[in-house]
């Protein structure tokens, strides 16, 4: 009930900002996580000539982002694939209109410095902190399967990403699977890499909206997705651009700029159009969630994706 109340209050707090004076530019309300996308847009400057105003709304994680999208409090949200797939499995009228992907080397299964864990096999009988339904759970279970171990070979502690990192540092769990910037922070504190997501999971994230918003703001959504692609391309075109992006994010987040530079240099997030391969990866994630009992019932993911928005990003290249 507490979680539902927090989400409800967050949605209620956002809704008033969607009203726009008729003489002003139209507004696109965008759900971001911890200033990541907002910092990227500000550093790259790609919104300077936009024919609309972006109202940024910040969230601590992906689940409340997609829930706010579904509630009509956001026009578009940026989040990992797990929360979107779980909500779509419940029949929510959400749509994915673009994909962005972290480097698989920035999604990592880490062992605490207080342990002797060096390989996946060493995890047997150990306690591993994971975020239910996200990359964390996907990576741990894929790693166990790849090593020929049953999924119950470890004890699971279900925690949010920030709490997983804190638990590993405090020695309350033996390992955790997480992503940047937690990876860099934990490595600085002595955590060791057991395995990365490379070759194990897709680590996809989505630009998500709803059918209703597509009906009323298709062109604005398309323009935003195009600018997001341009911003991501800009960030990867020059190391100095990564530095600029990291500096803007560090200032907003009040985090050590060195940590931000290491994070963005490692993650190297890139935008991708919707392809048959990316949709197949989403279907595999759903099927895997069903096999592990995380999802009670699978579904055909094809209806979740709207490839018509590819035309906006193809026009930008």
């Amino acid at each position: 009930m507490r979680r539902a109340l927090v989400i409800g209050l967050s949605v209620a707090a956002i809704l008033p900002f969607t009203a726009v004076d008729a003489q002003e530019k139209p507004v696109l309300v965008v759900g971001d996580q911890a200033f990541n996308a907002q910092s990227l847009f500000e550093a790259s400057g790609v919104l300077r000539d936009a024919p609309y105003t972006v109202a940024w709304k910040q969230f601590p994680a992906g689940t409340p982002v997609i829930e706010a999208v579904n509630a009509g409090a956001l026009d578009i949200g940026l989040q990992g694939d797990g929360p979107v797939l779980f909500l779509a499995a419940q029949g929510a009228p959400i749509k994915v209109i673009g994909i962005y992907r972290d480097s698989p080397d920035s999604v990592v299964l880490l062992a605490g410095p207080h342990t002797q864990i060096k390989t996946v096999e060493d995890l047997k009988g150990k306690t591993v902190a994971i975020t239910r339904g996200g990359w964390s759970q996907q990576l741990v279970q894929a790693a166990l399967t790849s090593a020929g171990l049953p999924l119950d070979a470890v004890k699971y502690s279900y925690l949010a990403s920030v709490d997983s990192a804190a638990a590993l540092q405090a020695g309350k769990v033996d390992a955790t699977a997480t992503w940047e910037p937690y990876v860099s922070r934990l490595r600085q504190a002595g955590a060791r890499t057991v395995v990365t997501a490379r070759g194990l999971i897709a680590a996809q994230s989505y630009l998500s909206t709803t059918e209703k918003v597509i009906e009323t703001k298709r062109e604005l959504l398309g323009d935003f997705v195009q600018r997001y692609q341009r911003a991501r391309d800009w960030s990867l075109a020059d190391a100095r651009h990564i530095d600029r992006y990291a500096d803007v994010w560090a200032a907003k987040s009040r985090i050590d700029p060195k940590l931000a530079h290491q994070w963005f240099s490692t993650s190297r997030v890139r935008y991708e159009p919707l392809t048959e391969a990316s949709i197949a990866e989403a279907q595999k994630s759903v099927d895997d969630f069903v096999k592990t009992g995380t999802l009670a019932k699978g579904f055909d993911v094809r209806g979740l994706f709207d490839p018509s928005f590819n035309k906006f990003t193809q026009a930008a290249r």
Side-chain angles (χ1 to χ4, degrees):
M1 288 182 67
R2 181 187 301 174
R3 181 169 176 272
L5 178 60
V6 170
I7 292 171
L9 289 174
S10 298
V11 170
I14 293 167
L15 283 170
F17 289 93
T18 60
V20 191
D21 187 279
Q23 295 179 347
E24 296 176 349
K25 288 182 179 180
V27 173
L28 199 65
V29 187
V30 180
D32 189 15
Q33 294 183 59
F35 301 103
N36 196 326
Q38 184 175 354
S39 298
L40 172 67
F41 275 93
E42 290 184 9
S44 62
V46 299
L47 279 176
R48 289 193 189 107
D49 61 345
Y52 51 87
T53 299
V54 171
W56 294 100
K57 305 301 170 187
Q58 299 299 330
F59 294 81
T63 296
V65 173
I66 191 59
E67 289 177 336
V69 169
N70 187 48
L74 298 173
D75 293 321
I76 185 170
L78 297 94
Q79 66 287 295
D81 58 355
V84 179
L85 296 173
F86 272 66
L87 199 56
Q90 300 172 30
I94 51 179
K95 291 288 184 181
V96 174
I97 60 176
I99 287 177
Y100 57 105
R101 193 187 302 265
D102 289 55
S103 163
D105 294 325
S106 67
V107 183
V108 184
L109 173 55
L110 295 164
H114 58 285
T115 73
Q116 299 300 313
I117 298 170
K118 295 181 180 179
T119 67
V120 175
E121 289 79 2
D122 294 336
L123 292 171
K124 287 187 291 186
K126 306 298 184 182
T127 301
V128 183
I130 62 172
T131 303
R132 190 186 298 273
W135 293 347
S136 180
Q137 181 174 358
Q138 293 178 48
L139 177 55
V140 171
Q141 295 183 339
L144 291 172
T145 300
S146 179
L149 296 174
L151 299 183
D152 60 0
V154 302
K155 302 171 186 176
Y156 296 102
S157 178
Y158 294 100
L159 299 170
S161 52
V162 63
D163 297 325
S164 294
L168 189 69
Q169 284 187 282
K172 295 181 179 179
V173 298
D174 300 304
T176 189
T178 189
W179 46 88
E180 294 289 5
Y182 303 108
V183 171
S184 293
R185 289 178 181 174
L186 290 171
R187 281 174 171 161
Q188 287 180 351
R192 297 185 303 278
T193 297
V194 178
V195 68
T196 73
R198 187 171 293 276
L200 291 175
I201 66 170
Q204 295 185 131
S205 294
Y206 297 148
L207 291 157
S208 304
T209 186
T210 62
E211 296 171 357
K212 183 177 180 179
V213 177
I214 291 175
E215 290 174 3
T216 58
K217 295 186 176 181
R218 174 180 286 275
E219 293 302 316
L220 295 189
L221 291 172
D223 184 86
F224 181 85
V225 171
Q226 181 186 100
R227 291 174 192 271
Y228 183 75
Q229 174 194 270
R230 285 165 50 194
R232 283 297 176 198
D233 289 348
W234 170 88
S235 72
L236 299 176
D238 190 312
R240 292 170 295 182
H241 296 174
I242 286 283
D243 290 342
R244 170 62 181 156
Y245 175 20
D247 286 341
V248 173
W249 181 84
K252 286 184 177 297
S253 305
R254 299 180 181 178
I255 298 295
D256 181 358
K258 292 182 180 179
L259 177 65
H261 287 210
Q262 183 174 348
W263 169 18
F264 292 134
S265 296
T266 302
S267 59
R268 296 186 63 79
V269 180
R270 66 186 187 278
Y271 176 85
E272 296 182 359
L274 297 177
T275 64
E276 289 297 322
S278 59
I279 294 173
E281 287 175 332
Q283 187 66 62
K284 181 179 183 303
S285 294
V286 168
D287 295 343
D288 287 345
F289 282 140
V290 173
K291 289 177 183 177
T292 59
T294 310
L295 268 180
K297 184 179 179 181
F299 67 102
D300 186 346
V301 304
R302 192 165 297 275
L304 172 63
F305 296 88
D306 187 343
S308 70
F309 282 85
N310 285 351
K311 70 178 183 181
F312 292 98
T313 53
Q314 289 167 352
R317 292 195 178 279

